[in-house]
Amino acid sequence: MSGDILTVENVTKRFGGLTANQNISFSMKKGEIIGLIGPNGAGKSTLFNCISCYYNANEGKITYKGIDITKKNPEKVCRMGIGRTFQIVRTFKDMSVLENIMIGAFMRYPKRKDAEARAQRAAEIFGFQDKLGLQAISLTISEQKRLEVAKVFATEPEIMLLDEMMAGQNINEVHETVELVLKLRDMGISLVLVEHVMEGIMPIANRVVVLDYGEKIAEGTPAEVVVNEKVIEAYFGQKYAKRRENSAKVQ
């Protein structure tokens, strides 16, 4: 991996008097998987919204392949090659699986025949080839989340932002999701994953960025992050972190 495909520099996002993101910076190389973690309310989804230009940052700069995208709109950024899912599933439940994936394919292929062909190729990769005619509402929640990713994949992104894709999944579904993420990585897609399921993100992330109260408190490899005192305090509280520190001194 060489060269940064995405750079986030001192990004700040405010909602009135509330600062959801404060001076957040990180960069991503092509082919990387980055985990974006932190307690509930840490500002992870807001940062996703800024990168995908669903929100425009108040301060700072976001660069994609050397181009400043900070103030662009979501459609423009998607056409440039950044696709994202949402924390809450947004499938078109009364439409078929194939039609849902075609929604994404229409971004690149305005003719129905071409969009359908693209959607069918995506369906094979995501394991929906036998369910193309089913209504999306008939799928399990885990399948609907996978359908969301297939829809984004159909837009032909170079970066995928996946927001809590593993939430609510059982252990087998988490393993399937991990395999899917690695497959996407091997296809040349760079990925940023917001996750609370540590068993899923830690084994596959090249680096992990940790947010708390809207600020970045740590960044490093998974092995470095899990022993970081600020991260431990953010997840388990100051008393636990202090007790752990005292225990280490005794040993």
Side-chain angles (χ1 to χ4, degrees), residues 230-249:
K230 289 184 178 180
V231 176
I232 294 169
E233 182 176 331
Y235 272 96
F236 300 107
Q238 189 173 14
K239 288 183 178 179
Y240 178 88
K242 190 69 176 177
R243 188 162 62 246
R244 184 179 180 277
E245 181 182 347
N246 292 336
S247 176
K249 289 179 179 178

Side-chain angles (χ1 to χ4, degrees), residues 3-194:
D4 293 335
I5 189 171
L6 178 71
T7 304
V8 176
E9 301 177 76
N10 301 315
V11 164
T12 295
K13 179 60 185 176
R14 301 186 188 90
F15 299 96
L18 173 66
T19 301
N21 290 148
Q22 180 70 45
N23 295 326
I24 297 176
S25 299
F26 72 90
S27 61
M28 181 169 75
K29 298 184 183 302
K30 184 174 177 59
E32 272 195 309
I33 297 173
I34 290 185
L36 186 59
I37 69 171
N40 288 327
K44 305 180 295 298
S45 293
T46 298
L47 185 59
F48 258 30
N49 285 330
C50 289
I51 296 172
S52 61
C53 294
Y54 193 79
Y55 299 149
N56 291 131
N58 298 108
E59 298 173 14
K61 183 178 180 181
I62 301 171
T63 305
Y64 169 63
K65 297 173 68 173
I67 301 172
D68 185 353
I69 64 170
T70 314
K71 300 300 182 182
K72 295 190 181 297
N73 62 55
E75 180 185 353
K76 178 65 174 179
V77 168
C78 185
R79 288 189 180 278
M80 292 175 70
I82 299 178
R84 58 86 53 91
T85 63
F86 290 83
Q87 187 174 337
I88 298 174
V89 173
R90 296 193 176 190
T91 52
F92 296 94
K93 296 182 179 180
D94 293 330
M95 297 172 65
S96 71
V97 169
L98 178 61
E99 289 168 337
N100 266 272
I101 303 175
M102 287 175 64
I103 295 295
F106 278 124
M107 174 65 71
R108 307 282 180 199
Y109 304 94
K111 293 183 178 180
R112 182 180 178 88
K113 180 180 179 180
D114 295 335
E116 185 171 342
R118 169 61 181 165
Q120 287 177 337
R121 292 195 298 272
E124 291 179 5
I125 292 171
F126 285 81
F128 286 120
Q129 61 269 32
D130 297 327
K131 298 185 177 183
L132 294 178
L134 296 179
Q135 283 189 314
I137 197 171
S138 70
L139 301 178
T140 66
I141 293 298
S142 181
E143 289 174 328
Q144 288 185 37
K145 287 190 173 187
R146 185 154 38 96
L147 180 60
E148 286 284 271
V149 183
K151 187 164 54 179
V152 173
F153 177 80
T155 69
E156 299 184 351
E158 292 191 48
I159 294 177
M160 294 181 75
L161 311 174
L162 306 183
D163 198 346
E164 295 196 26
M165 187 181 171
M166 303 180 200
Q169 294 185 339
N170 62 42
I171 190 64
N172 291 330
E173 291 168 338
V174 168
H175 289 161
E176 290 172 358
T177 298
V178 166
E179 291 176 4
L180 176 59
V181 169
L182 293 175
K183 181 189 293 186
L184 294 172
R185 190 269 318 269
D186 292 343
M187 296 175 70
I189 298 174
S190 307
L191 299 106
V192 185
L193 279 67
V194 166

